[in-house]
Amino acid sequence: MALWGGRFKKDMDEIVKEFNASILFDKRMFNDDIDGSIAHVTMLAAQGIVTDEECGRIIGGLEKIRSDIAKGRVAFTVEDEDIHMGIESRLIAEIGDTGKKLHTARSRNDQCQVDARLYLKNEILAIIDELVRFEQIILEKAEKYASSITVGFTHIQHAQPITLGFVFMAYFQMFRRDIDRLQDTYRRMDFCPLGSCALAGTTLPIDRQKTSDLLGFAAPTENAMDSVSDRDYILEFLSDASISMMHLSRWAEEFVWWNSSEFAYIAIDDSYCTGSSIMPQKKNPDMAELIRGKCGRVYGDLMQLLTMMKGTPLAYNKDFQEDKEGLFDAVDTWKICLQIFSGMLEKTEFRMDRIGEQLDKGFLNATDVAEHLAVEGIPFREAHNIVGRMVKACEDKGCMLEELTDADLEAIDERLSKDLLGDISIRACVEARNSFGGTAPTEVMRQIEAGRKWLEELK
Ligand code: ARG
């Protein structure tokens, strides 16, 4: 019979035990559960609710169970129901009746929330570390390719020439915001629900500030009923994870394109590709595709929890036990995707020769020509129209804008000449786009420096 079996005549059906149990997944929080229990009993002793001697025995028993679990000597089964009872029942078996005092002035409803918060706070720090490593690799690449020219697209059409370092720094900003969001989530979740008990606090003289301090939280939560039924912090984390996975997925999509025979902008290292079981020549960008694919499951984790929460009245409901598997899945998925992407990016070769071949196509410098005319006093709307006609003339002639002769230009508009256009080579155009946030190599270097400074301050 379970620890709560006093008012029951019968044990649960076997199938009910299995359906009801969370132990097979919440056992991953065993360290957090034990940390929470040690803080709790330390506080109970300080308040005179248990003796120092009882406290010492309970902590000794808990540490023994912690080391047994870590050594793989504990086989949890559905009989344990969840990690909280799995540890408590072992404590009682280990040290006898004193172990029965641990659950004074607490409930599994607050315990599962202490565990989840402790677990997630650690994981957030670990994911921030992963993101920082990723950002460092992005910065190195950005610096290496700060003045290498590539094609900038809108609508997947050739738009304007840009530097490759600029592309890296665009992704850098996305992951910077991801780190920022995680820091925000961490700050908002850093409150300790221990001592909320089932839903309404307790008549016992507990000290919630003390357990909060012992566990390293900023403060105890304010309202017990909210504390046991709040899952906002998991939802926030899953939103953070979804947005960041979306960023990874977008870049993964670009990797798949860039790696295609049509683009051939990059060569992903063999160690990050797979072959085909039937087509001997194939080398597939599976890691990028998998990352793109795994984005969907993290969105699923978010949708599942949002949907689970929406009809739940105050305070605790068993539905809430469904909060953990999606969380664990998102943590695992996000972390491994960051590691894989970092490794793939680090080892990918950017083929500047192949990229260079594309720069002659699509009149990448058309906007720059219009801007040059605007500087010469031709209103931009008019300049836009003139360059449109220049493009048409080039298409008829089969040449680039910089190859139009003075005669060609004069036929389009009598004010035009090669002199008036100035240097409209692709390189000159890129170098001149030095407005704040622009693509010019000097501006990319400024962005890299700002990014580096932010990373340093983060550490
Ligand atoms: N395993 C439960 C969960 O994860 C712990 C809380 C159970 N509380 C209860 N009153 N049944 O949500």
Side-chain angles (χ1 to χ4, degrees):
M1 194 67 95
L3 288 176
W4 41 255
R7 58 103 64 219
F8 286 78
K9 286 209 197 94
K10 292 190 208 170
D11 200 2
M12 284 182 275
D13 264 354
E14 282 310 311
I15 189 173
V16 173
K17 274 184 198 165
E18 271 179 39
F19 187 65
N20 184 56
S22 53
I23 183 70
L24 298 182
F25 52 86
D26 66 17
K27 63 183 177 188
R28 106 157 46 189
M29 305 188 299
F30 77 89
N31 261 318
D32 309 297
D33 198 77
I34 290 171
D35 289 343
S37 289
I38 289 175
H40 184 64
V41 75
T42 304
M43 178 277 291
L44 291 179
Q47 297 299 102
I49 301 170
V50 300
T51 66
D52 287 343
E53 198 264 337
E54 287 166 334
C55 173
R57 294 193 61 200
I58 289 174
I59 292 177
L62 288 168
E63 289 298 5
K64 163 84 170 45
I65 294 165
R66 190 202 302 270
S67 105
D68 285 350
I69 300 174
K71 287 180 187 140
R73 291 199 192 132
V74 178
F76 289 113
T77 71
V78 292
E79 296 293 333
D80 292 301
E81 191 171 328
D82 57 27
I83 189 60
H84 325 299
M85 290 206 301
I87 289 173
E88 194 187 335
S89 58
R90 277 174 184 75
L91 177 70
I92 295 166
E94 188 74 33
I95 66 166
D97 279 354
T98 307
K100 294 181 181 168
K101 295 204 169 179
L102 173 61
H103 209 55
T104 313
R106 73 173 194 189
S107 155
R108 281 184 293 154
N109 297 356
D110 56 359
Q111 248 188 299
C112 68
Q113 287 314 287
V114 175
D115 294 8
R117 285 179 191 240
L118 288 173
Y119 161 81
L120 187 52
K121 279 174 58 180
N122 270 328
E123 291 295 0
I124 286 178
L125 296 180
I127 294 169
I128 290 178
D129 278 351
E130 273 320 325
L131 280 161
V132 165
R133 263 194 290 279
F134 191 37
E135 291 283 60
Q136 276 159 346
I137 297 171
I138 295 175
L139 277 183
E140 279 162 29
K141 292 277 177 190
E143 194 157 23
K144 178 165 177 200
Y145 295 104
S147 54
S148 309
I149 301 177
T150 184
V151 179
F153 293 88
T154 61
H155 315 272
I156 320 210
Q157 307 283 316
H158 280 212
Q160 291 176 353
I162 56 176
T163 50
L164 189 48
F166 184 62
V167 178
F168 285 119
M169 290 313 290
Y171 282 103
F172 182 91
Q173 299 307 327
M174 294 184 217
F175 299 110
R176 173 175 177 163
R177 290 192 295 273
D178 293 344
I179 291 175
D180 209 56
R181 259 186 289 274
L182 277 175
Q183 290 177 316
D184 247 19
T185 300
Y186 188 100
R187 185 177 52 76
R188 229 180 336 271
M189 72 174 285
D190 194 14
F191 297 93
C192 184
L194 191 56
S196 298
C197 301
L199 74 162
T202 176
T203 59
L204 292 158
I206 59 170
D207 180 353
R208 293 194 54 210
Q209 184 66 51
K210 181 164 180 78
T211 41
S212 171
D213 291 345
L214 286 171
L215 291 169
F217 285 100
T221 52
E222 278 284 330
N223 177 291
M225 184 131 82
D226 174 51
S227 310
V228 292
S229 55
D230 167 30
R231 299 293 183 274
D232 289 3
Y233 66 99
I234 305 183
L235 286 168
E236 279 193 40
F237 173 80
L238 292 174
S239 313
D240 302 346
S242 296
I243 294 172
S244 185
M245 283 299 298
M246 174 271 289
H247 293 152
L248 288 174
S249 181
R250 291 182 69 186
W251 208 0
E253 166 79 359
E254 297 219 79
F255 263 63
V256 172
W257 279 81
W258 293 345
N259 191 64
S260 67
S261 316
E262 281 68 21
F263 270 79
Y265 279 16
I266 58 174
I268 302 177
D269 195 68
D270 277 7
S271 58
Y272 278 77
C273 291
T274 66
S276 156
S277 60
I278 177 168
M279 296 171 281
Q281 85 285 12
K282 290 300 288 288
K283 177 177 151 184
N284 298 323
D286 288 33
M287 297 309 107
E289 289 170 343
L290 259 179
I291 289 168
R292 192 177 58 186
K294 283 183 191 287
C295 179
R297 61 191 282 165
V298 176
Y299 288 1
D301 296 330
L302 172 62
M303 283 305 133
Q304 178 264 334
L305 187 59
L306 278 171
T307 312
M308 186 275 276
M309 288 303 292
K310 71 182 273 293
T312 51
L314 287 175
Y316 180 85
N317 306 272
K318 189 71 173 209
D319 316 38
F320 296 164
Q321 181 167 289
E322 292 289 311
D323 63 354
K324 281 175 274 297
E325 284 163 289
L327 169 63
F328 298 157
D329 180 68
V331 165
D332 294 345
T333 307
W334 190 3
K335 262 164 113 177
I336 189 72
C337 287
L338 282 168
Q339 282 167 19
I340 295 280
F341 212 125
S342 298
M344 178 172 75
L345 176 61
E346 206 167 15
K347 292 184 174 182
T348 293
E349 181 198 335
F350 285 79
R351 304 180 57 183
M352 298 319 300
D353 53 329
R354 289 296 305 248
I355 296 176
E357 287 165 21
Q358 304 305 316
L359 300 177
D360 298 352
K361 299 175 192 162
F363 309 103
L364 288 169
N365 49 355
T367 314
D368 306 84
V369 178
E371 286 184 357
H372 285 195
L373 297 182
V375 170
E376 296 299 329
I378 300 178
F380 185 79
R381 209 22 85 217
E382 217 180 300
H384 185 288
N385 183 279
I386 291 171
V387 180
R389 281 183 282 134
M390 285 169 63
V391 166
K392 191 152 187 315
C394 287
E395 275 177 346
D396 292 344
K397 248 185 110 175
C399 70
M400 297 187 349
L401 287 167
E402 47 273 50
E403 287 164 357
L404 290 175
T405 63
D406 277 328
D408 296 330
L409 291 168
E410 226 189 298
I412 293 163
D413 188 296
E414 65 204 5
R415 288 167 292 183
L416 294 188
S417 68
K418 285 181 86 67
D419 254 10
L420 190 83
L421 295 187
D423 188 354
I424 57 166
S425 66
I426 296 288
R427 167 132 326 259
C429 292
V430 169
E431 279 170 3
R433 287 197 170 266
N434 58 4
S435 56
F436 191 87
T439 192
T442 51
E443 183 45 30
V444 171
M445 285 313 296
R446 186 201 58 76
Q447 293 171 31
I448 292 171
E449 281 323 309
R452 197 159 271 149
K453 187 158 170 276
W454 165 73
L455 268 184
E456 281 306 317
E457 281 163 11
L458 203 63
K459 286 190 221 145

